[in-house]
Amino acid sequence: MIADERTLDALDFATVCARVVGATRTHRGRGLAQELAPSSDFATVRVEQARTAAIRELVVARDLHVMPAVETAEFTQGAALGRTLGPAELRSVGEALAAAAAAYNALREEPNEVLAPLTAGYVSLRELQRALTDAIDERGVVLDRASPALARIRKSLQHAQSDARDRVAAIVRGGKYAKAIQDAVVTIREGRFVVPVKAEFSGEFPGIVHDTSSSGQTLFIEPLAALESNNRLRTLRLEEEREVQRVLEMLSRSLGAQADAVECNVAMLAEIDLLVAKANVARAMDAIAPELTDEAVVHVERGRHPLIAGGVVPQTIPLDGATQLLVISGPNMGGKTVALKMVGLFLAMTYAGMQIPAAFGTRVGHFTYVIADIGDEQTIVGNASTFSAHLQRMREMLARADARTLVLVDEIGGGTEPGAGAALAIAMLERLLAVGAHGVVTTHATELKLFASGTSGVVNASVRFDPQSFRPTYHLDIGAPGQSLAFPLAQALGIAPAIVDRAQALLDSRERDYESALAELSLRAAELQSERDALAAERRGSERDRESLARDRAAFDAERTAFADRAEERLTQGLREFSNELQRRAEATQAARPRVTPAQSALLAKTAEEMRKALGIKDAAATAGADGTFAPNDRVRVRSLRQDATVIEDYGDTVLVAIGPMKTVVKKPDVERALRQAQGDTGRRAGDTRRGAGDTRRGGRSEAGDANVQAAVRTMAELDVRGKRYVEAEPEVDRWVDDALLAGNSPLRLIHGKGTGMLGRGLQEFLRSHPGVKSVRYGNEDEGSGGVTIIELR
């Protein structure tokens, strides 16, 4: 072990372990918790810490828990030796196997290489477990389903019991023996149905006496008429007992044949139970997994002693490269010993695989020995005073101390003449420094405070006190020595002021000056720390307010977005209904299908946009127009695709571009002109002039032919309108279908996405009314399913 029993007792390690014991659910797991001790192997410490952290994650995420289970070793050993177990014993083994199976399955659902060795030896015993739990219930009763023979016997037993009871009840109800019967009830004696008969009429009632009342006035007689029925009932009960015994023997043999596997599974369950108990204790303490390092360091960040109830004051204690030894001073009852114990207890808990109640940033390093001298260990039998017991313990420390030793000493050098005790303490600390040991000591000696102030690797620390009331605040200040406050405490506890004044006068002048300077320094340090704490509290309050505002803003934005979505849907629905109504009226008057001109589409889009602005639902994409317009054959760069493209047609807010053989529609904010556009513009203008002259010479080509050529250039078999509103998509789809009709392209594939389905349904209604469209349908699985519409043209 890394620490002896005296050290662990002084650190109250057993009290912390008792919490783990109380959190276990299995008998064997409880035994493991009772034997819990810090490991001396740092590699094992790493493994146990990792396992506790992994199990805690499962406890939080998967509600991992362990079902209760008794100790099974005695039962499995007896079964292996051929002993027939009782039904309760067999049932308890079955429940233990069920608990082990549940724990195994919970760990297998979330594979973890740290936990994998725990379940490596598990053996599936499902058939044995089901045989035990199906045959015997929670009360330890062998059930009818344990065997077909037992079920048959018990069914016959019920009939026989009813027959025997009915026969005896018929005699009781009959009038022939009415005077002889004491009470008109049927009762049972020695497993047989009998009738209570008055003693004076026993000779008149034919039957066999089985019992008498305590007064002797009543005899319990089995009627001769029911003798045969009772005999049959007794026979069936004997058969039942034999069959139950046979079932128990069979189950015991099955258990004995797999005793080793059962013990292996129960051992796995106990280890998981211990880890779950550690995790639950860690959650109750709001503990964290400390950072493990190969250096011999202990850095506690805002640690809270786990055995102090109520509002514990967090303490930060550094024992690292810059601080080898920490000398804590200050008034009694200020928390010096609690801080010292906490360091040792955290180390012991870490090395036992437990998490510690501290803040993130806490580090625990590699130590090979921890030794503590805390409390009064004087004994009359051992002829050891407080000081001699202290010296014996210090001798052990000095003999074993090395660079990986942690030393904890309460009131070092105490129990003897103050000057000599302080000198001896300094010499011991110098020895510990020389061998590289780390430690925490407490003291009231001024010499030790001065030694800490002037020695590299040794740091003063003090427990803070309230400057007005001189009450301890239990805060630990690193870097400043503390006052013992003997005189203020004496006054506070009722010592006469005259006596306190006389004591101060008797104090050496240098000591008095030192105490005065130290008191002023401590007062200033306490005031500064109080201001620092207040500023930190204000900062935390500001952070909380900022986070609250951020949450409120996020909630408001989410509500605004939801409102915008609802308003957009209602607006789109209204526009579509308006368009449908126009179509309906045109058809009713047998007028030609109204064609929406670009100017009308622009006006409708502008009106819809103004409505969106009024409702406060205008999105960024709607206002992000591009600069200028694009002409056919312009070279552009599509930012989202990171590809160069050629413009085919400018649709206003969108542009139809060709990227190699692929054509697609992109939004203008996603398009930028290529670097050589200016030169291209000049060449294109010159080419346009030449083409104009050529067209004049080609007078034989018809205007319809030119329209077909231009349509073939513009059209494509696929159009993507995802992200558009109906009022934007409808004119674009109309132009696309017209171009396809001129070019002779069919079928067409319209991509509108699924979403709410409003855009797809609206466009399909529009296309069904288009005179050039033959049929409209949703795509199949290969074509894009409900997010795509396939269009056949006439």
Side-chain angles (χ1 to χ4, degrees):
M1 290 174 56
I2 193 175
D4 57 23
E5 291 296 332
R6 288 174 60 184
T7 296
L8 294 179
D9 289 344
L11 298 177
D12 300 315
F13 179 71
T15 307
V16 177
C17 289
R19 296 185 178 182
V20 180
V21 173
T24 56
R25 302 293 306 279
T26 68
H27 189 279
R28 194 173 299 187
R30 190 173 302 112
L32 293 179
Q34 291 169 343
E35 297 172 358
L36 192 61
S39 173
S40 59
D41 183 10
F42 198 61
T44 302
V45 173
R46 289 184 180 276
V47 171
E48 290 301 317
Q49 281 291 330
R51 286 179 175 177
T52 302
I55 287 291
R56 183 173 178 180
E57 290 180 3
L58 290 177
V59 169
V60 174
R62 298 287 184 176
D63 191 25
L64 174 64
H65 61 278
V66 175
M67 295 188 294
V70 302
E71 178 56 65
T72 60
E74 180 183 354
F75 305 148
T76 55
Q77 291 172 7
L81 295 174
R83 182 168 69 89
T84 300
L85 302 181
E89 297 171 334
L90 290 169
R91 173 72 190 193
S92 63
V93 174
E95 291 176 347
L97 290 176
Y104 171 80
N105 291 331
L107 265 61
R108 296 290 292 179
E109 287 179 1
E110 296 287 338
N112 188 303
E113 61 181 14
V114 176
L115 300 177
L118 291 178
T119 58
Y122 177 81
V123 180
S124 178
L125 300 174
R126 185 176 182 181
E127 292 184 2
L128 176 61
Q129 175 228 316
R130 292 188 62 179
L132 295 174
T133 54
D134 287 353
I136 305 168
D137 67 8
E138 296 83 353
R139 300 166 300 168
V141 176
V142 179
L143 301 173
D144 295 356
R145 60 172 177 259
S147 75
L150 184 60
R152 185 175 61 255
I153 292 171
R154 285 183 172 170
K155 186 173 182 180
S156 300
L157 189 60
Q158 290 177 354
H159 292 304
Q161 190 169 351
S162 298
D163 181 59
R165 184 190 297 109
D166 292 343
R167 287 179 179 272
V168 176
I171 295 173
V172 171
R173 290 194 300 268
K176 184 175 181 180
Y177 303 106
K179 287 198 299 182
I181 295 175
Q182 183 76 276
D183 296 305
V185 295
V186 176
T187 186
I188 297 176
R189 288 294 186 274
E190 298 179 358
R192 306 176 76 88
F193 289 100
V194 295
V195 176
V197 178
K198 298 175 183 177
E200 59 268 27
F201 294 102
S202 59
E204 299 180 11
F205 191 90
I208 302 172
V209 178
H210 286 278
D211 196 6
T212 63
S213 64
S214 57
S215 64
Q217 299 298 314
T218 304
L219 303 179
F220 296 95
I221 301 176
E222 177 185 0
L224 293 178
L227 186 62
E228 182 179 351
S229 297
N230 274 327
N231 287 342
R232 183 168 179 270
L233 182 61
R234 177 59 179 163
T235 300
L236 288 172
R237 282 177 176 158
L238 291 174
E239 291 181 11
E240 178 192 23
E241 292 175 3
R242 286 193 293 269
E243 181 59 21
V244 167
Q245 185 64 22
R246 189 193 68 80
V247 169
L248 297 178
E249 290 175 356
M250 177 190 66
L251 293 175
S252 298
R253 284 195 301 271
S254 299
L255 175 59
Q258 303 186 74
D260 292 340
V262 171
E263 285 305 297
C264 181
N265 290 1
V266 174
M268 177 208 71
L269 175 64
E271 292 184 13
I272 296 174
D273 184 28
L274 177 61
L275 288 173
V276 172
K278 289 180 182 178
N280 286 328
V281 170
R283 293 181 66 196
M285 294 190 301
D286 193 20
I288 56 102
E291 178 187 344
L292 300 180
T293 175
D294 289 327
E295 302 175 37
V297 299
V298 179
H299 181 94
V300 178
E301 188 69 30
R302 295 183 60 81
R304 308 176 307 280
H305 198 290
L307 300 181
I308 298 179
V312 183
V313 178
Q315 295 179 336
T316 297
I317 303 176
L319 276 180
D320 45 30
T323 306
Q324 189 175 336
L325 296 175
L326 192 66
V327 178
I328 305 178
S329 54
N332 290 322
M333 300 180 296
K336 300 189 302 296
T337 305
V338 170
L340 178 144
K341 282 187 170 184
M342 185 178 69
V343 173
L345 182 58
F346 278 8
L347 188 73
M349 292 172 64
T350 299
Y351 277 54
M354 302 173 65
Q355 296 184 346
I356 55 179
F360 290 104
T362 298
R363 293 187 298 142
V364 176
H366 183 188
F367 290 90
T368 57
Y369 188 57
V370 180
I371 185 169
D373 180 23
I374 303 172
D376 187 355
E377 296 187 4
Q378 66 175 335
T379 62
I380 297 177
V381 176
N383 194 26
S385 66
T386 300
F387 185 62
S388 61
H390 176 65
L391 290 179
Q392 291 173 5
R393 192 62 168 164
M394 289 300 301
R395 183 185 62 193
E396 295 179 34
M397 293 181 182
L398 295 172
R400 295 197 55 174
D402 59 20
R404 294 195 180 276
T405 298
L406 178 64
V407 174
L408 306 168
V409 185
D410 191 25
E411 301 292 349
I412 187 171
T416 188
E417 191 273 322
L424 191 58
I426 291 174
M428 292 177 176
L429 292 180
E430 289 176 340
R431 175 62 179 171
L432 293 175
L433 279 174
V435 299
H438 289 72
V440 180
V441 301
T442 66
T443 187
H444 290 284
T446 301
E447 295 86 347
L448 282 174
K449 302 174 190 176
L450 294 172
F451 169 75
S453 298
T455 305
S456 176
V458 186
V459 177
N460 272 307
S462 58
V463 286
R464 199 187 312 168
F465 61 94
D466 185 272
Q468 278 75 39
S469 64
F470 294 104
R471 294 181 180 273
T473 63
Y474 305 106
H475 288 88
L476 189 67
D477 294 330
I478 306 297
Q483 286 183 280
S484 296
L485 298 179
F487 299 140
L489 285 175
Q491 288 181 329
L493 292 176
I495 302 298
I499 296 177
V500 175
D501 293 341
R502 176 57 179 163
Q504 290 178 322
L506 291 173
L507 198 64
D508 181 80
S509 61
R510 287 179 301 175
E511 247 183 278
R512 189 163 54 247
D513 293 342
Y514 171 79
E515 286 294 327
S516 177
L518 188 59
E520 184 177 355
L521 177 63
S522 299
L523 179 61
R524 291 182 181 276
E527 291 174 347
L528 289 174
Q529 189 61 44
S530 297
E531 292 179 6
R532 189 181 298 115
D533 293 343
L535 289 174
E538 290 181 8
R539 188 180 300 110
R540 289 192 295 271
S542 298
E543 290 294 332
R544 286 193 296 269
D545 292 342
R546 188 179 296 109
E547 292 173 0
S548 177
L549 288 173
R551 287 193 299 270
D552 292 344
R553 181 173 180 176
F556 172 76
D557 289 342
E559 184 177 355
R560 184 173 63 85
T561 301
F563 169 76
D565 291 342
R566 292 193 300 270
E568 174 68 22
E569 184 177 346
R570 294 288 298 276
L571 180 58
T572 302
Q573 177 70 19
L575 291 173
R576 186 167 61 253
E577 291 175 355
F578 174 71
S579 178
N580 292 340
E581 179 62 20
L582 289 178
Q583 179 68 22
R584 188 188 64 78
R585 293 185 179 183
E587 292 174 352
T589 58
Q590 296 183 350
R593 184 175 73 89
R595 299 301 301 271
V596 181
T597 67
Q600 291 172 333
S601 297
L603 179 61
L604 185 59
K606 182 179 179 181
T607 303
E609 193 63 30
E610 289 176 353
M611 294 174 66
R612 293 188 183 91
K613 287 181 180 179
L615 291 172
I617 61 174
K618 182 174 177 60
D619 55 18
T623 62
D627 295 333
T629 60
F630 293 98
N633 297 321
D634 279 353
R635 295 293 296 168
V636 294
R637 178 78 173 176
V638 181
R639 295 190 185 98
S640 60
L641 300 178
R642 299 181 181 178
Q643 296 287 335
D644 291 333
T646 301
V647 173
I648 296 177
E649 188 172 355
D650 188 337
Y651 291 153
D653 290 340
T654 60
V655 183
L656 175 63
V657 299
I659 304 174
M662 182 187 74
K663 297 177 182 178
T664 185
V665 176
V666 295
K667 294 182 178 180
K668 274 193 175 179
D670 194 28
V671 177
E672 62 182 1
R673 294 183 185 275
L675 294 176
R676 292 173 292 182
Q677 184 63 52
Q679 299 174 357
D681 289 344
T682 303
R684 184 169 59 253
R685 284 193 295 271
D688 289 345
T689 303
R690 289 191 296 270
R691 283 193 300 273
D695 289 344
T696 303
R697 290 191 298 270
R698 292 194 308 269
R701 177 173 293 182
S702 66
E703 293 183 2
D706 290 341
N708 289 339
V709 171
Q710 293 299 321
V713 171
R714 289 194 305 268
T715 191
M716 55 183 176
E718 182 176 283
L719 178 64
D720 190 346
V721 295
R722 285 176 295 184
K724 296 181 181 295
R725 303 181 182 92
Y726 174 81
V727 68
E728 298 169 336
E730 188 267 342
E732 187 174 339
V733 172
D734 192 16
R735 289 195 299 270
W736 176 57
V737 172
D738 287 346
D739 289 344
L741 285 168
L742 288 173
N745 286 348
S746 181
L748 303 178
R749 184 170 181 262
L750 176 62
I751 305 173
H752 45 69
K754 295 181 180 179
T756 60
M758 304 284 290
L759 179 60
R761 290 195 297 271
L763 291 175
Q764 285 196 2
E765 290 178 12
F766 165 72
L767 289 169
R768 288 190 178 94
S769 64
H770 195 291
V773 174
K774 179 179 179 182
S775 65
V776 175
R777 63 176 176 83
Y778 283 115
N780 55 36
E781 292 296 331
D782 296 333
E783 294 169 327
S785 187
V788 169
T789 292
I790 304 300
I791 307 163
E792 292 282 350
L793 301 181
R794 297 186 185 278

